[in-house]
Amino acid sequence: MATSSKRSFGWLLALVGLVAFATFGVVALLVNIFERKQEARKPFVRLVEVNEVSTDPKPWGVNFPLQYESYLRTADTERTTYGGNHSMSPSKLKEFPWLKRLYAGYAFSIEYREARGHAYMLGDQEVTKRVTEVQQAGACLHCHAAIAPTYRRVGLEKMGKDASEETLGESFDQEAVIAGFKALSQMKYEEVHAELTKTPDGVVKAAEGDPHLGDAHPVSCVDCHDPETMSIRVTRPGFILGIAKLAESDDPVPHLPSIQKWRDSKSKTPYDPNVDATRQEMRSFVCGQCHVEYYCANKMTLTFPWSNGLKVEDLEKEWEETTFPDTEEGKSGGEFYDYVHKETGTPVFKAQHPEFELWSQGIHARAGVSCSDCHMPYERQGATKVSSHWVRSPMLNINKACQTCHHVSEDELKARVDTIQGRTQALMARAASAMTDMLDAIVSAQKAGASEEDLKPIRELQRKAMWRLDYISSENSKGFHADQEAARILGESIDYSRQAQAAAYRLGGSPKPEEGDVAVSQAD
């Protein structure tokens, strides 16, 4: 009887212990869930105050250590086949010698290297031979530096208003930013760079009388985030003015629904991305501030050519209709061009890096996929979901950048991208071959005594051919952002080059091919 009682008591103790253990486990789980929810609800603690002059990213990093840690990795040197970082990025001129002929007479023929990560975007610009050996316009710093506070300071000074550090840090003041942007756009590179260091950066504290109040920084946190609310925003005046022109055009933009909504509202206030755009659109707009085509020399204010739309021919049409402002002496500015081709003397256009425009023609844009979804994908850090600020090729982060939507293997996804980029590269090589043949034919026709009147339509074809080849070769996705559009543009480049080549032969260019050879060339 006693043994039975002891056995029952033992089972009772075991049951009590099991219940206590289970209760402890459940309570621990609930506490953990509660803590994680609180962590996710408040992912940062404001330990350091940042404001509108905080161009140095370090103070932001105290408040946002996860984002800052990944931002610092933009200095890493991992590369893909067609881009990424490198301790000394490869020269495109050596890899593709035809680029020297494409850019003959332009600074890019002196030095042109693969782009590195955002951490290098200012330093690499400061030391490139395009800047050290050729006089450049300060408008180039519109995208390579955290320049909005400098625009605001200069703008306030031009408007006769207080431009103290306290005032500069209070608000973005878009009116002053745009005024400063217009004032600096046509100044020399070294002059605008000096203005950067006259603007407080929130960290450097200069002695009284020292004209250097801060450091020049590459694109930083303040360029894409409101320091008070941390919401995404655009700060580049070129984009703000350019996207407003696009909204006023008739170009269908199904991938940007807020623009159509603005059009339907018949609003009399210009489209403002910081007011009208959706958050998902803003996750592309912050990239589209700089990864675009624009004019940035010193004959006129930096301009995004979006009055007619975002396709290559829309941008070309605006440039064709643009004239430079008259000089102070009253001399006509003349028709717009970027540079005069050294070999042929033809005024031509120079494409910058039209990633936003080409992406706008692609399937990902139509599907609502933003630039950040692929180049800054969300990551899980503990209970916190953050967008990686290690901006890089999706091919270096396939799992998070691609497989969220594409449920196939990494090898399959990489093979698809390799196919698209390989085909684009092959088409580009054919377009480059057609271009060099065209240049040889034009030079030969000039030597044979062709008149300027006879050369005029050939120059038009040359400009169109080179603009399209440059457009895709300067765009950094190697066709992936919109593969069919890239193929169309390169096909047109080949066609225009061959038309110009054949026309030059008819003017007495040499060597003059047989008729059958011309037909083959035109079909190339």
Side-chain angles (χ1 to χ4, degrees):
M1 187 72 176
T3 301
S4 178
S5 296
K6 287 180 179 181
R7 186 179 296 113
S8 298
F9 183 70
W11 279 110
L12 181 61
L13 285 177
L15 181 61
V16 170
L18 181 63
V19 171
F21 179 78
T23 302
F24 176 80
V26 170
V27 171
L29 177 62
L30 291 174
V31 169
N32 182 267
I33 291 173
F34 176 77
E35 289 176 345
R36 295 301 184 189
K37 282 186 175 181
Q38 292 302 110
E39 178 184 348
R41 185 173 300 165
K42 192 173 183 179
F44 77 96
V45 177
R46 189 184 288 271
L47 300 174
V48 175
E49 289 298 322
V50 292
N51 60 25
E52 291 288 357
V53 297
S54 300
T55 54
D56 190 321
K58 288 183 180 179
W60 296 73
V62 176
N63 296 333
F64 301 94
L66 299 178
Q67 289 87 342
Y68 182 62
E69 181 181 14
S70 60
Y71 165 82
L72 292 177
R73 299 200 69 181
T74 61
D76 285 357
T77 57
E78 190 173 5
R79 291 187 57 80
T80 65
T81 303
Y82 296 112
N85 294 334
H86 203 283
S87 56
M88 177 57 76
S89 54
S91 169
K92 289 188 175 183
L93 300 178
K94 289 183 178 179
E95 187 176 3
F96 306 110
W98 54 265
L99 286 170
K100 281 197 170 186
R101 299 196 66 185
L102 179 68
Y103 299 136
Y106 196 66
F108 273 74
S109 65
I110 300 172
E111 184 173 48
Y112 184 25
R113 296 184 177 275
E114 292 283 359
R116 296 200 287 175
H118 283 186
Y120 298 103
M121 64 191 310
L122 178 58
D124 281 358
Q125 186 186 60
E126 292 169 335
V127 300
T128 178
K129 292 180 181 179
R130 299 199 304 273
V131 169
T132 61
E133 296 185 6
V134 180
Q135 180 63 65
Q136 295 290 353
C140 299
L141 290 161
H142 176 268
C143 287
H144 284 261
I147 199 172
T150 298
Y151 286 151
R152 181 164 56 256
R153 176 180 62 78
V154 173
L156 288 171
E157 291 171 352
K158 292 286 184 182
M159 297 160 69
K161 297 183 178 180
D162 175 43
S164 63
E165 181 173 356
E166 182 180 3
T167 300
L168 291 175
E170 286 178 352
S171 67
F172 181 68
D173 195 341
Q174 185 165 302
E175 181 184 4
V177 169
I178 292 179
F181 157 73
K182 291 179 178 178
L184 295 180
S185 266
Q186 292 173 257
M187 291 174 62
K188 297 177 181 178
Y189 182 88
E190 56 270 21
E191 293 173 339
V192 178
H193 195 284
E195 292 293 336
L196 283 172
T197 60
K198 294 179 185 177
T199 305
D201 71 350
V203 173
V204 174
K205 301 300 178 183
E208 186 175 353
D210 188 340
H212 300 88
L213 300 178
D215 285 332
H217 298 279
V219 168
S220 181
C221 315
V222 74
D223 294 295
C224 303
H225 291 281
D226 185 309
E228 184 62 33
T229 66
M230 306 304 157
S231 59
I232 305 173
R233 67 177 183 180
V234 295
T235 58
R236 294 293 184 268
F239 182 88
I240 293 171
L241 298 174
I243 200 75
K245 290 196 301 184
L246 175 65
E248 291 173 359
S249 76
D250 296 326
D251 185 47
V253 282
H255 65 301
L256 303 176
S258 69
I259 288 183
Q260 188 58 51
K261 182 179 179 181
W262 177 86
R263 291 170 177 171
D264 293 340
S265 72
K266 309 295 182 184
S267 175
K268 295 182 180 179
T269 303
Y271 177 87
D272 186 340
N274 291 316
V275 174
D276 300 309
T278 67
R279 187 175 186 279
Q280 183 67 355
E281 288 172 331
M282 291 295 283
R283 298 183 77 239
S284 291
F285 285 176
V286 291
C287 305
Q289 296 183 94
C290 296
H291 290 267
V292 290
E293 153 65 358
Y294 52 83
Y295 170 82
C296 63
N298 57 12
K299 287 190 175 183
M300 65 183 192
T301 301
L302 184 146
T303 303
F304 285 30
W306 292 352
S307 294
N308 305 303
L310 294 173
K311 294 184 286 296
V312 64
E313 56 268 28
D314 296 330
L315 279 55
E316 181 182 44
K317 184 173 185 289
E318 176 160 342
W319 291 144
E320 290 173 339
E321 295 172 346
T322 297
T323 56
F324 288 122
D326 294 343
T327 65
E328 293 181 358
E329 296 77 19
K331 185 178 179 181
S332 174
E335 295 182 357
F336 174 89
Y337 65 92
D338 281 294
Y339 66 104
V340 175
H341 193 261
K342 188 176 181 179
E343 294 185 26
T344 65
T346 302
V348 293
F349 303 155
K350 168 71 184 80
Q352 303 305 322
H353 24 65
E355 284 86 50
F356 181 79
E357 291 92 341
L358 192 63
W359 164 82
S360 293
Q361 314 310 316
I363 188 63
H364 285 90
R366 295 299 179 94
V369 178
S370 74
C371 306
S372 298
D373 288 326
C374 302
H375 294 277
M376 301 174 64
Y378 284 113
E379 297 179 334
R380 180 69 64 182
Q381 299 281 352
T384 305
K385 179 183 177 183
V386 299
S387 179
S388 172
H389 283 58
W390 184 6
V391 185
R392 55 178 174 157
S393 167
M395 292 296 95
L396 298 173
N397 193 18
I398 293 176
N399 176 253
K400 292 170 182 164
C402 309
Q403 290 182 313
T404 302
C405 298
H406 301 284
H407 299 184
V408 294
S409 70
E410 287 197 10
D411 288 343
E412 168 63 17
L413 289 170
K414 188 174 185 304
R416 292 181 188 180
V417 175
D418 287 344
T419 297
I420 291 171
Q421 293 185 324
R423 288 173 177 171
T424 303
Q425 192 65 46
L427 269 174
M428 201 182 304
R430 293 170 73 88
S433 177
M435 177 205 67
T436 55
D437 289 346
M438 170 188 66
L439 295 178
D440 289 340
I442 295 174
V443 170
S444 180
Q446 288 174 317
K447 289 179 179 179
S451 69
E452 191 57 40
E453 183 179 353
D454 288 336
L455 287 170
K456 185 177 180 180
I458 297 177
R459 295 193 190 284
E460 177 78 6
L461 292 167
Q462 177 192 351
R463 182 182 55 71
K464 288 180 174 295
M466 293 176 63
W467 160 251
R468 284 158 176 76
L469 172 57
D470 188 23
Y471 194 90
I472 299 301
S473 67
S474 297
E475 201 276 336
N476 286 296
S477 76
K478 288 296 179 290
F480 180 77
H481 285 150
D483 54 331
Q484 291 183 333
E485 179 71 355
R488 178 184 76 88
I489 294 169
L490 288 172
E492 289 186 357
S493 175
I494 294 169
D495 178 50
Y496 285 129
S497 286
R498 295 307 186 192
Q499 286 187 53
Q501 178 187 359
Y505 283 152
R506 286 193 290 270
L507 292 179
S510 177
K512 188 173 181 179
E514 298 296 327
E515 291 184 9
D517 294 333
V518 174
V520 170
S521 295
Q522 289 179 306
D524 193 6

